[in-house]
Amino acid sequence: QATAKITSGAIIQLEKNLPMGGGLGGGSSDAATTLIALNKLWQCGLTEDQLAALGLQLGADVPVFIRGHAAWAEGVGEIFTRIDPPEPWYLVIFP
């Protein structure tokens, strides 16, 4: 709101089914998705770079989720180089 000088609001409810600190990027992904959604909903017109800068204030890996592609992370996790690894396939079986 402050960055885009928007007075609109939103009620956001999240049900998390993974343990906090589970290391799966869930919270960072949620933060990135929220920034992207509010940017569209409020018609802020912020660029991907501006959203990534906002996301960095929330967590070092939020920008990678804003950009939406695989990346090599450096620094404390805030410097990303796009990579295109082969797509792996996994099968998880929980009997």
Side-chain angles (χ1 to χ4, degrees):
Q1 285 174 314
T3 298
K5 298 177 179 38
I6 299 292
T7 59
S8 299
I11 296 172
I12 300 170
Q13 181 175 339
L14 173 69
E15 180 178 332
K16 189 172 180 86
N17 293 315
L18 295 171
M20 293 294 287
L24 299 174
S28 297
S29 176
D30 294 339
T33 300
T34 301
L35 287 173
I36 292 167
L38 291 176
N39 188 41
K40 289 181 187 265
L41 178 68
W42 294 341
Q43 300 175 348
C44 298
L46 298 176
T47 66
E48 187 177 271
D49 288 339
Q50 290 171 309
L51 289 173
L54 282 173
L56 183 57
Q57 297 174 38
L58 301 173
D61 59 345
V62 174
V64 78
F65 291 103
I66 286 175
R67 298 193 189 283
H69 54 76
W72 179 262
E74 296 180 86
V76 293
E78 82 287 5
I79 302 168
F80 297 102
T81 302
R82 183 180 178 141
I83 59 172
D84 293 306
E87 184 176 332
W89 290 87
Y90 298 96
L91 174 63
V92 178
I93 300 173
F94 184 74

